[in-house]
Amino acid sequence: MELPEGKMAGTPNLETISTRQGRIAELAQRMPGTALKTLAHHMDLSWLHEAWRLTRHRGAPGVDGLTADDYEVNLMSNLTTLLDRAKTGLYQAPPVRRVHIPKGEGKVRPIGIPTIEDKVLQRAVVMLLEPVYEQDFYPFSYGFRPGKSAHDALEALDKVLYERGGGWVLEVDIQAFFDSLDHEKLRELLSQRVVDGVVLRLIGKWLNAGVLEGGVMHRSVQGTPQGGVISPLLANIFLHEVVDTWWVRDVKPRMQGQADLIRYADDFVMVFTSEADARRIQEVLPKRMARYGLTLHPEKTRLIPFGRPRPDGSSPRPGSFDFLGFTHYWGKSRRGFWVPQRKTAASRFRRGLKAIGSWLRFNRHKPVEWQAKGLGLKLRGHMGYYGMQGNSRQISRFHHAVRRLWRYWLDRRSQRARMTWDKFTRLLGAYPLPPAVLAPRWRTTPAKP
């Protein structure tokens, strides 16, 4: 590859990489349903360097103890060696280091921490596969895709509920999806679209790498590579066949009424205007999942009557359901019309407060200015996701609860110098927290500074 004048050898040419990805996408679009044989030749040193740039560098080290700063000392040499091992088959995927983090309500969530080399190489493979599968994925799939977000999925759901007048909502929960994805069936699905030996060999090594926890190695024939950036893409490839293609090919043509699917990774809801259609799919969906080794949660998968209430109040009160951290329900607009609304789900509200409370307890003796900056970041993160239109009341409640928690733990710093509310109010004047506002995308009027 020729580099522009003045450009160091081995550094990324972003225009060239995006052009190559465009060629991959064009080829995949021109040959739908055809297995592509040559993808790995696009992956050169410049490609790996761009993968390095896109990789998160602040994460904890993997089983080798190597940090991103360590790896960057001899970056180009390390990437050259990595590329050679990947292309020749000498690359050995190390096990993923597993740790547990609090999930809320007394539960913990296991997460995997790959090595920095694994992160870079997985990102490079994602850069190869994304242009292929983006030609196949349906527009109602929103999870972990370029240019799509959870907010886009929520807006799409809101539009469907409003235009259809609600109906019957099938809330679906797959039990431990990322831990139960069948490797053999995933390989079969991958081979329908990609038969490049280098790519498939690397994915196979990541699937077989195993997990290291407490010095003990665990291997399984199920699950995606824990913590790996390739896991969401593999999950989408799997569910594209299990759910999306089945929905378009077999379900919708047989529906008596209108039916819509909104999916974000393994979280999805189905909206039906016909109760008979909804109950038919509720009956056959577990069988469809079982064909691919998946199981639906018996309590969290449920059918909810969600029709728009009649103005005279004669219709039964509709239920509510949770999707992507929000509880969805019917409420009245300012003009008095029934419209679909959403608010922060109670479990997410409690989990967020518990996490902040634990952080404050652990850091209660840190300087107040330091605490204020940390709380500001956490509040902005919470408001950035949950600060959607119509959720201002819950945002204000959360903001108020955080202030109470902060005062409580400041008060626990000393038995002598108590933190009264008057004293805390003066402290907030010196170290203000960000105001309780909706995220910029959802503000109808500019927020006050």
Side-chain angles (χ1 to χ4, degrees):
M1 180 184 71
E2 293 185 5
L3 296 172
E5 185 177 351
K7 196 167 184 66
M8 293 177 59
T11 56
N13 184 336
L14 302 187
E15 183 179 356
T16 302
I17 290 173
S18 63
T19 300
R20 281 183 277 173
Q21 287 181 309
R23 286 201 292 266
I24 295 172
E26 184 181 351
L27 179 64
Q29 190 176 44
R30 200 168 61 241
M31 303 173 66
T34 302
L36 305 182
K37 298 180 180 179
T38 56
L39 289 175
H41 71 280
H42 291 286
M43 189 168 66
D44 57 13
L45 190 56
S46 179
W47 192 278
L48 275 192
H49 196 285
E50 174 63 1
W52 161 264
R53 189 186 69 84
L54 296 173
T55 298
R56 182 170 174 264
H57 295 166
R58 294 184 179 180
V63 295
D64 60 359
L66 201 65
T67 67
D69 289 340
D70 298 331
Y71 199 77
E72 193 172 16
V73 173
N74 296 304
L75 180 61
M76 299 316 297
S77 175
N78 288 332
L79 292 181
T80 301
T81 304
L82 177 61
L83 179 64
D84 182 65
R85 284 182 286 139
K87 291 284 187 80
T88 60
L90 294 177
Y91 182 78
Q92 297 298 319
V96 173
R97 182 167 70 90
R98 178 185 284 169
V99 297
H100 295 267
I101 61 173
K103 185 179 179 181
E105 300 179 353
K107 300 179 181 179
V108 295
R109 171 183 295 157
I111 63 169
I113 304 176
T115 63
I116 186 65
E117 275 201 333
D118 245 3
K119 292 177 183 178
V120 173
L121 196 52
Q122 286 189 27
R123 174 63 65 188
V125 172
V126 167
M127 289 163 57
L128 289 173
L129 294 180
E130 248 180 12
V132 176
Y133 285 99
E134 278 299 309
Q135 313 312 308
D136 299 343
F137 290 161
Y138 291 102
F140 52 75
S141 167
Y142 292 87
F144 307 107
R145 293 182 58 190
K148 290 179 177 284
S149 69
H151 284 168
D152 293 327
L154 290 164
E155 283 190 271
L157 174 61
D158 189 66
K159 182 179 179 182
V160 165
L161 293 174
Y162 183 82
E163 292 180 349
R164 304 282 189 259
W168 292 80
V169 175
L170 184 57
E171 181 184 4
V172 183
D173 186 278
I174 305 175
Q175 286 198 116
F177 170 72
F178 283 92
D179 295 328
S180 57
L181 189 149
D182 187 280
H183 290 179
E184 191 57 38
K185 293 188 181 298
L186 175 61
R187 289 188 178 95
E188 291 176 10
L189 295 178
L190 281 168
S191 64
Q192 293 175 12
R193 202 64 169 109
V194 176
V195 288
D196 185 294
V198 172
V199 173
L200 294 182
R201 184 171 60 232
L202 286 171
I203 293 175
K205 288 183 177 183
W206 288 319
L207 292 175
N208 295 328
V211 173
L212 188 66
E213 182 177 11
V216 180
M217 181 68 132
H218 303 274
R219 297 187 187 276
S220 175
V221 295
Q222 295 178 321
T224 58
Q226 286 201 5
V229 296
I230 200 169
S231 292
L233 178 58
L234 295 179
N236 269 337
I237 292 170
F238 198 84
L239 289 174
H240 171 74
E241 174 63 29
V242 178
V243 178
D244 302 355
T245 300
W246 172 69
W247 176 265
V248 171
R249 182 188 61 214
D250 300 328
V251 174
K252 290 207 70 174
R254 293 175 171 83
M255 294 292 96
Q256 298 174 1
Q258 295 173 310
D260 295 273
L261 168 65
I262 308 292
R263 183 173 71 81
Y264 187 92
D266 60 323
D267 292 330
F268 58 97
V269 292
M270 299 171 174
V271 183
F272 304 88
T273 57
S274 164
E275 180 182 357
D277 288 342
R279 296 200 179 279
R280 282 172 58 199
I281 300 306
Q282 184 185 26
E283 181 180 352
V284 302
L285 187 59
K287 301 173 186 176
R288 175 67 181 179
M289 294 294 173
R291 285 183 56 187
Y292 291 86
L294 301 176
T295 306
L296 296 181
H297 196 292
E299 297 176 358
K300 295 181 180 180
T301 300
R302 59 196 184 104
L303 185 62
I304 302 104
F306 200 74
R308 178 186 278 120
R310 295 175 183 172
D312 58 6
S314 61
S315 58
R317 184 180 179 87
S320 62
F321 65 95
D322 289 353
F323 182 58
L324 297 182
F326 288 85
T327 296
H328 300 261
Y329 63 100
W330 284 100
K332 284 193 173 182
S333 68
R334 292 181 179 179
R335 299 174 62 188
F337 299 112
W338 287 102
V339 294
Q341 297 183 347
R342 55 186 166 236
K343 63 182 179 180
T344 309
S347 60
R348 297 294 185 91
F349 193 97
R350 291 193 301 268
R351 186 194 305 179
L353 281 183
K354 186 174 181 179
I356 288 179
S358 297
W359 182 85
L360 283 168
R361 178 176 60 85
F362 184 78
N363 296 293
R364 64 185 180 274
H365 294 298
K366 294 286 182 67
V368 173
E369 182 179 5
W370 183 91
Q371 291 183 16
K373 288 181 179 178
L375 282 177
L377 291 174
K378 294 180 184 300
L379 280 171
R380 288 188 183 93
H382 182 88
M383 293 185 292
Y385 183 76
Y386 292 103
M388 296 188 72
Q389 191 172 2
N391 197 34
S392 57
R393 181 178 297 178
Q394 291 293 84
I395 290 297
S396 295
R397 282 187 60 225
F398 190 86
H399 195 277
H400 180 67
V402 168
R403 293 199 305 270
R404 293 181 65 90
L405 279 172
W406 193 20
R407 190 207 69 84
Y408 173 81
W409 285 110
L410 287 174
D411 189 48
R412 303 275 291 182
R413 283 157 63 116
S414 171
Q415 294 295 326
R416 296 180 180 178
R418 305 309 299 264
M419 180 60 67
T420 64
W421 274 105
D422 286 340
K423 187 176 180 180
F424 182 65
T425 300
R426 291 194 299 271
L427 182 144
L428 284 176
Y431 304 102
L433 296 176
V437 295
L438 300 183
R441 181 180 180 183
W442 308 106
R443 295 178 192 150
T444 54
T445 57
K448 294 181 180 180

